[in-house]
């Protein structure tokens, strides 16, 4: 078996580029939802009432200990039972977002806990309001650990989007599978999918490092 | 054979562009106890580290008991030392570190017998017997089976001293042995060092900020600054009659801090 | 982390309740799912062996001074971390046969998961090796300890203690990731659940059982990992 360039350019590439759009949309949408979801989960987990914080903690633990793929199937097959019919892409984005919310909640928590207690105490001693304490003291100091970690989750989400092919979302992996089935050759499509993910991850990793350095030097000197 | 244990001849050492030792000439006689002091960044610790082959020197010669440390004679020519030569020279030197550097996953006894067993090939029993003697000497026979994390800083440093003695060095290097200790533990470590100095069996090179101890225990004090020896003399002269301006400044600053 | 016994008990009660409620059909769909669980465990076991060995080899490789060794390890790590596991599985199972290399779904699954997680584990191993304080090496030099003995008797025991938590987390991630082998026709928990769901349409029960099975595996690993961590850090006991 050899590599066929004409097949690559005429059949594979056009469809892959289209599919890359779906992958990109799924990644960005899931990431944005997870950022907000993570914040909500973190706040619920820190809630004063044990009846709210405890179940949240267990929910986060459960989500983190079970495979995303099964969660996707769960939502995909279960939501229609409750009369909620969503397109597979939306269901998939929702599942990825919930899964990563649980992970992001931990990132936020770790970030805030990384700010030394003395900073809070100093703010109290200086009589700074809670709002300004957060805005001017706590958040700027917790960003350096949080931002790179969130960047890593962005890349992780990107690499999780192929799971959507299990519920027939027309993203990169699904398209390469379809091309393979249609033409009885997988080499070009699957290899290009692999290279696509590799190159994008490497670029993303490089950018995260840049941001990390920027944040380190700009926000906390 | 000369009478010298250690000789530095025009030794140069630099980290990248930063010169640490510049043409350092320095010698220690056998059995002598020499204290090196100086401001931070003066290169005093580096003197010990290059002797222990933890750092390489760029230029000059270091002789340990008349044998070059980083060179060796082969068929009459002076060539770069091979591993066996370096190991032979190293076996004459023991070092005690500021942060003890005990092996945290081994007991006090385990720390002491590790090198005798795996480097010298002693049996576990031989090594343990000797190690127990040395642990008793530093007053820690009852702590032999404790892990470093279960010992106080002063006890850890005493284990570290016993550990280096287990390899029978002739030259002992102490790199700020009490700097990482709480004040109340300094005394117990200094006592052990004093005993070693008084025994007269070891050539001792000591870097310390404990002026009183240096004065009392050393045969000679070297004041080092900018990678060079600025002044050296017997302790009483150094502390009571400093000749150079830099030493006078240094001493007044140190005494002010008291 | 201590085992969440209370939670497990509650979940156990939930399963019992569930099984009573759906007893008739449970008899039909539970055995195939449990057969899937055996497949998941088998894949996890072999992948784990591969993943840990690759982690050590590549982690040590990255830590070596020899440029060729270091670069090989780096390329392996970047390639298998950078591509998605599903792509790797597809590549092994659908593309390699086109080049005449045919392997069973099981072998492809173990290879894919192992290669992917070995790349992540290599970074854990390398991190642990660099986390051992520099003073340990200096003390070994001062005691004239041979480099080989230093690595085996001083560096490794300390590095292993440091890497245990990271490896435990990766092991849990790896068990979760074995769900993807359903893509290459292996009937593990996930695939068995999808099949049974198509037959009986008891989505809630079937997928709850599937999720609980994975959750139990994860808790089991966490519990074992905690015991392992305690064993390796026993010498760090606080002063009385």
């Amino acid at each position: 078996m050899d590599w066929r360039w004409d097949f690559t350019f005429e059949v594979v590439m056009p469809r892959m580029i289209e599919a890359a759009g779906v992958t990109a949309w799924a990644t960005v949408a899931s990431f944005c939802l997870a950022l907000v979801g993570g914040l909500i989960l973190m706040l619920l987990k820190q809630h004063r009432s044990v009846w709210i914080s405890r179940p949240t903690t267990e929910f986060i633990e459960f989500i983190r200990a079970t495979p995303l793929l099964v969660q996707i199937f769960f939502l995909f097959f279960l939501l229609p039972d409750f009369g909620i019919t969503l397109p597979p892409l939306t269901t998939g984005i929702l599942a990825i977002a919930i899964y990563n919310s649980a992970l992001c909640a931990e990132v936020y928590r770790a970030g805030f806990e990384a700010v030394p207690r003395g900073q809070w105490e100093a703010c109290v001693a200086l009589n700074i309001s809670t709002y300004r304490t957060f805005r001017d003291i706590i958040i700027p100091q917790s960003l350096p650990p949080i931002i790179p970690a969130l960047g890593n989750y962005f890349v992780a989400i990107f690499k999780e989007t192929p799971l959507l092919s299990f519920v027939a979302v027309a993203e990169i992996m699904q398209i390469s599978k379809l091309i393979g089935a249609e033409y009885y050759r997988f080499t070009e499509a699957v290899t290009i999918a692999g290279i696509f993910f590799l190159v994008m991850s490497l670029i993303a990793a490089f950018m995260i490092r840049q941001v990390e350095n920027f944040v380190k030097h700009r926000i906390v000197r | 054979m000369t009478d010298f244990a250690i000789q530095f001849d025009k030794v140069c050492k630099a980290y990248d562009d930063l010169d640490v030792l510049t043409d350092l000439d320095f010698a220690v006689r056998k059995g002598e106890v020499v204290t090196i002091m100086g401001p931070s960044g003066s290169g005093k610790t580096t003197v010990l580290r290059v002797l222990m082959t933890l750092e390489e020197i760029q230029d000059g010669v270091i002789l340990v008991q008349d044998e070059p440390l980083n060179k060796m004679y082969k068929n009459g020519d002076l060539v770069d030392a091979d591993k066996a030569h370096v190991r032979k020279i190293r076996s004459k030197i023991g070092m005690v570190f500021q942060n003890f550097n005990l092996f945290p996953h081994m007991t006090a006894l385990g720390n002491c017998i590790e090198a005798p067993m795996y480097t010298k090939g002693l049996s576990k029993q031989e090594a343990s017997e000797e190690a127990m003697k040395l642990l008793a000497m530093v007053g820690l026979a009852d702590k032999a089976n404790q892990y470093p994390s279960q010992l106080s800083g002063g006890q850890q440093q005493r284990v570290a001293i016993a550990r280096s003695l287990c390899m029978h060095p002739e030259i002992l290097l102490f790199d700020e042995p009490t700097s990482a200790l709480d004040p109340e533990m300094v005394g117990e470590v200094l006592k052990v060092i004093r005993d070693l100095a008084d025994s007269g069996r070891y050539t001792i090179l000591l870097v310390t900020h404990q002026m009183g101890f240096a004065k009392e225990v050393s045969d000679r004090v070297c004041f080092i600054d900018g990678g060079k020896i600025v002044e050296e003399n017997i302790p009483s002269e150094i502390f009571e009659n400093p000749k150079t301006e830099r030493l006078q400044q240094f001493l007044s600053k140190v005494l002010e801090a008291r | 982390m201590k085992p969440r016994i209370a939670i497990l008990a509650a979940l156990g009660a939930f399963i019992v309740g569930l099984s009573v409620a759906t007893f008739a059909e449970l008899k039909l769909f539970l055995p195939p799912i449990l057969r899937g669980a055996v497949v998941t465990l088998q894949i996890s076991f072999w992948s784990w062996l591969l993943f840990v060995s690759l982690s050590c080899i590549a982690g040590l490789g990255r830590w070596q001074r020899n440029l060729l060794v270091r670069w090989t390890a780096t390329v392996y790590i970047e390639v298998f971390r950078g591509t998605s596991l599903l792509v790797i599985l597809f590549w092994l199972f659908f593309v390699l046969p086109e080049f005449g290399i045919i392997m069973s779904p099981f072998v492809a699954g173990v290879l894919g998961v192992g290669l992917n997680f070995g790349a992540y584990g290599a970074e854990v191993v390398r991190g642990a090796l660099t986390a051992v304080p520099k003073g340990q090496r200096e003390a070994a030099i001062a005691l004239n300890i041979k480099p080989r003995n230093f690595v085996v008797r001083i560096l490794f025991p300390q590095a292993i203690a440091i890497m245990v938590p990271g490896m435990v987390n990766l092991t849990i991630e790896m068990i979760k990731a074995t769900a993807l082998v359903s893509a290459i026709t292996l009937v593990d928990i996930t695939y068995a659940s999808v099949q049974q769901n198509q037959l009986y349409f008891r989505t809630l029960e079937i997928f709850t059982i599937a999720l609980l099975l994975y959750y139990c595996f994860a808790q089991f690993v966490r519990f074992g990992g905690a015991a392992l961590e305690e064993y390796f850090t026993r010498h760090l006991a606080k002063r009385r």
Side-chain angles (χ1 to χ4, degrees), chain B residues 103-171:
Chain B
F103 306 133
H105 57 302
M106 297 177 185
T107 61
L109 182 63
N111 267 280
C112 291
I113 63 175
E114 176 67 21
M117 276 172 69
Y118 288 90
T119 302
K120 281 188 171 172
L122 295 191
S123 75
K124 188 167 185 181
Q125 183 167 3
E126 288 171 301
S128 302
E129 273 171 22
E130 156 130 57
M132 283 310 295
K133 268 185 221 153
L134 286 163
L135 281 172
M137 196 198 84
V138 299
L140 289 172
D142 55 329
K143 304 282 185 203
N145 292 317
Q146 306 254 6
Y147 286 101
S149 59
Q150 296 167 306
L151 301 173
S152 72
Q155 291 168 334
Q156 289 189 50
Q157 191 61 296
R158 284 188 279 154
V159 172
I161 293 172
R163 177 175 76 170
S164 69
L165 293 180
C166 283
M167 291 299 278
H168 302 294
E170 293 163 44
I171 299 165

Side-chain angles (χ1 to χ4, degrees), chain B residues 10 17 38 42 57 74 92 103 152 157 162 171 173-174 208 216 218 225 233 237-238 242 248 256:
Chain B
K10 293 206 172 19
D17 290 337
S42 60
I57 55 172
K74 197 173 182 182
K92 299 175 180 173
F103 306 133
S152 72
Q157 191 61 296
I171 299 165
L173 312 177
F174 290 93
T208 187
E216 175 192 335
S218 347
D225 192 16
N233 214 327
E237 280 293 302
I238 286 277
Q248 285 162 4
E256 219 170 81

